[in-house]
Amino acid sequence: MLKTRIIPCLDVAEGRTVKGVNFVDLIDAGDPVEQAIAYNAAGADELCFLDIKATHENRGTMFDLATRTAEQCFMPLTIGGGVRKPDDVRDLLLAGADKVSFNSAAVADPDVIARSADRFGSQCIVCAIDAKTIGTDADGAPNKWGIFTHGGRKAALDKDGNLIDAVAFAKLIAAKGAGEILLTSMDRDGTRAGFNLKMTRAIADAVNVPVIASGGVGNLDHLVEGVTEGHASAVLAASIFHFGDYTIQEAKEHMAAAGIPMRLN
Amino acid sequence: MLTALVDYDSGNLHSAQKAFERMARETNAGDVVVTSDPEVVAKADRIVLPGDGAFPACKAHLFDHTGLFEAIETQVTQNARPFMGICIGMQMMASTGHEYTQTAGFDWIGGDVVHIDPKDKALKVPHMGWNDLVIDNPHPVLDGITTGEHAYFVHSYHVRVTDTAHRLAHVDYAGDITAIIGRDNMIGCQFHPEKSQAAGLRIIANFLSWAP
């Protein structure tokens, strides 16, 4: 049986791990390669590096991190941040990434996903979606989510000036060949209030590719909810692991006890 | 001893290279080279064919290199050198691929490469993540690997072998998915041993000492 994945995410800026609250107020949290090695030993199912200040000058730093990590961690590594074109995918794959994540560039031009998937295969093309609640139904429950780009600073608008709907966009990029969607709730990111479950479920149920739930994990029950209520195939978290609140094994055992198939050995 | 990892511009060789180098060092299995040179393949003692992406594109890339497939085929089918295919490299060992269009494989192991079609329609395709192996037929390359061991998969197609004796392991995904195939001096892994942590490194080490 396929197991639900736990993915520790390292937000990287200038070669160091940082973790922001609502995408700002960065706190230094250490050396990414050392952390990757520790997570590999701890039985993490995948690793994710997000270059949150992906400027041109920082690219070399990210390649170096990817290379050093891939030499020591024989597990899947996804890298995102500042990925704009198929050649960027190639450079990161050659440096040691197994999957590469698009974000802003895919919103600006969804065909970049198709061009990249055609060249490298869907299995290594992830599309990260950062979304925020923008609409509610008559009872006040959230039922519409809009996309933001550039680390959450910029609302993504369609040609008519409307916020791009996250569910429709997820379907579009899955059809273009994205092999996986990394869905971050900007309402929840860094708040430790739990995933945006309604949004996660709306998107996970709308596409036939795996959805990784991200943004807002504060305790182990949140990880469980992401799967049972959010229908996510994988859960991503940063702070709860980096700062030692919980170990990967504790998280896996907690999820397994809740009836979710996990890789425990 | 020389192990050749065949580079034909298809997918990510870096992690495979690092994993084979690490295990070759630990088991004194000689050198590992990444090559697209038929002459190097012709001298290799072991051959590894990785590959990511779509079957037709991978096959076309392989055949873009003049003489490369012929060198591999001579080594594997005539000189009986141990061979490992990984992911698409494994799928190409079969008779026919059905991704996008019908494409002939190497036809080393009878079978078709078909789309994954789980009986539970809520299950996602690609089949992506860790799944536990069920060993169908014991094999020296699986020494120390028991049913229940996890491996990392990411694929939308899999091999349906004609002769069940050639299926060495499978996983369950609301139906069987072929995980390992093999016969004689050749073996193929649908999963990525180079990304499967300790179990994957064990399989690589076993392959490097395999004397079929």
Side-chain angles (χ1 to χ4, degrees), chain B:
Chain B
M1 290 290 281
L2 182 69
T3 299
L5 255 70
V6 181
D7 178 9
Y8 56 104
D9 315 313
S10 188
N12 171 20
L13 272 179
H14 188 278
S15 35
Q17 180 187 356
K18 292 298 160 195
F20 277 85
E21 284 174 355
R22 152 88 71 109
M23 298 325 286
R25 219 166 35 239
E26 288 189 9
T27 62
N28 292 315
D31 295 321
V32 175
V33 291
V34 173
T35 184
S36 48
D37 182 348
E39 291 184 17
V40 175
V41 170
K43 281 185 282 194
D45 301 290
R46 291 170 202 281
I47 295 166
V48 180
L49 187 69
D52 283 318
F55 191 115
C58 286
K59 173 114 188 285
H61 282 148
L62 180 61
F63 280 79
D64 279 346
H65 294 270
T66 307
L68 184 57
F69 173 71
E70 289 75 6
I72 296 170
E73 188 169 48
T74 301
Q75 284 286 64
V76 176
T77 60
Q78 291 177 33
N79 301 336
R81 298 284 189 261
F83 172 92
M84 178 185 275
I86 298 174
C87 200
I88 308 293
M90 169 255 214
Q91 294 182 2
M92 287 194 293
M93 296 163 73
S95 314
T96 311
H98 296 272
E99 188 167 2
Y100 297 127
T101 175
Q102 200 160 307
T103 309
F106 306 161
D107 201 20
W108 292 348
I109 292 184
D112 289 278
V113 187
V114 298
H115 196 255
I116 296 169
D117 185 22
K119 288 189 199 88
D120 177 353
K121 297 304 167 198
L123 292 181
K124 309 273 182 171
V125 178
H127 170 240
M128 183 186 289
W130 296 85
N131 206 329
D132 49 321
L133 298 171
V134 179
I135 308 293
D136 298 309
N137 288 299
H139 190 280
V141 174
L142 302 180
D143 179 47
I145 304 292
T146 50
T147 289
E149 194 87 62
H150 286 88
Y152 185 81
F153 292 79
V154 48
H155 62 125
S156 300
Y157 286 76
H158 77 129
V159 179
R160 282 243 176 272
V161 291
T162 312
D163 180 349
T164 54
H166 296 153
R167 190 178 82 171
L168 307 184
H170 71 276
V171 295
D172 175 55
Y173 196 54
D176 288 2
I177 287 182
T178 301
I180 308 174
I181 58 174
R183 79 172 173 87
D184 306 331
N185 56 311
M186 54 185 85
I187 190 162
C189 299
Q190 178 61 65
F191 56 88
H192 288 270
E194 75 279 16
K195 292 169 207 167
S196 296
Q197 293 180 330
L201 294 176
R202 172 91 193 223
I203 288 170
I204 290 171
N206 289 342
F207 173 74
L208 290 172
S209 64
W210 181 33

Side-chain angles (χ1 to χ4, degrees), chain A:
Chain A
M1 184 186 285
L2 191 69
K3 305 304 190 287
T4 297
R5 289 167 283 153
I6 293 186
I7 308 175
C9 178
L10 307 176
D11 286 356
V12 176
E14 286 150 7
R16 300 287 290 177
T17 308
V18 293
K19 179 56 203 172
V21 176
N22 291 103
F23 287 77
V24 292
D25 296 332
L26 305 177
I27 304 163
D28 192 302
D31 174 49
V33 179
E34 278 178 32
Q35 290 164 342
I37 293 166
Y39 283 130
N40 182 43
D45 296 310
E46 291 188 22
L47 282 174
C48 182
F49 285 173
L50 290 183
D51 187 353
I52 60 167
K53 280 193 187 170
T55 57
H56 187 69
E57 310 82 77
N58 281 335
R59 302 306 288 169
T61 313
M62 206 54 176
F63 294 150
D64 176 55
L65 289 181
T67 303
R68 286 163 54 214
T69 302
E71 279 167 4
Q72 303 188 66
C73 299
F74 298 101
M75 62 187 296
L77 171 66
T78 300
I79 295 186
V83 179
R84 293 186 176 83
K85 53 189 189 297
D87 280 344
D88 296 338
V89 176
R90 177 176 163 77
D91 290 344
L92 284 165
L93 292 177
L94 288 175
D98 298 303
K99 302 189 241 183
V100 174
S101 177
F102 281 92
N103 183 328
S104 307
V107 177
D109 175 18
D111 283 329
V112 74
I113 295 283
R115 293 198 302 276
S116 301
D118 285 349
R119 191 161 153 200
F120 307 105
S122 289
Q123 83 291 333
C124 68
I125 305 299
V126 180
C127 187
I129 299 178
D130 295 337
K132 201 186 273 189
T133 302
I134 54 166
T136 53
D137 62 21
D139 299 325
N143 69 352
K144 194 166 170 56
W145 301 276
I147 292 182
F148 288 71
T149 59
H150 299 82
R153 295 185 301 276
K154 194 171 159 192
L157 305 176
D158 64 19
K159 57 182 174 5
D160 301 321
N162 300 315
L163 263 173
I164 296 174
D165 178 71
V167 177
F169 181 72
K171 287 163 106 164
L172 174 68
I173 54 108
K176 295 283 183 192
E180 192 168 41
I181 290 171
L182 167 52
L183 177 66
T184 300
S185 161
M186 296 182 46
D187 309 301
R188 298 299 180 88
D189 194 64
T191 64
R192 297 183 171 239
F195 294 122
N196 184 330
L197 296 172
K198 283 205 69 171
M199 176 175 84
T200 306
R201 183 172 188 147
I203 289 179
D205 288 354
V207 297
N208 193 35
V209 297
V211 170
I212 306 169
S214 159
V217 175
N219 62 49
L220 300 182
D221 287 331
H222 292 153
L223 300 178
V224 172
E225 292 164 358
V227 179
T228 57
E229 294 177 42
H231 292 181
S233 298
V235 288
L236 180 143
S239 313
I240 62 161
F241 298 129
H242 298 338
F243 296 119
D245 302 1
Y246 305 99
T247 64
I248 299 286
Q249 190 63 24
E250 283 169 344
K252 286 186 166 183
E253 285 170 6
H254 188 84
M255 293 174 77
I260 298 171
M262 302 301 296
R263 181 178 68 116
L264 294 169
N265 58 3

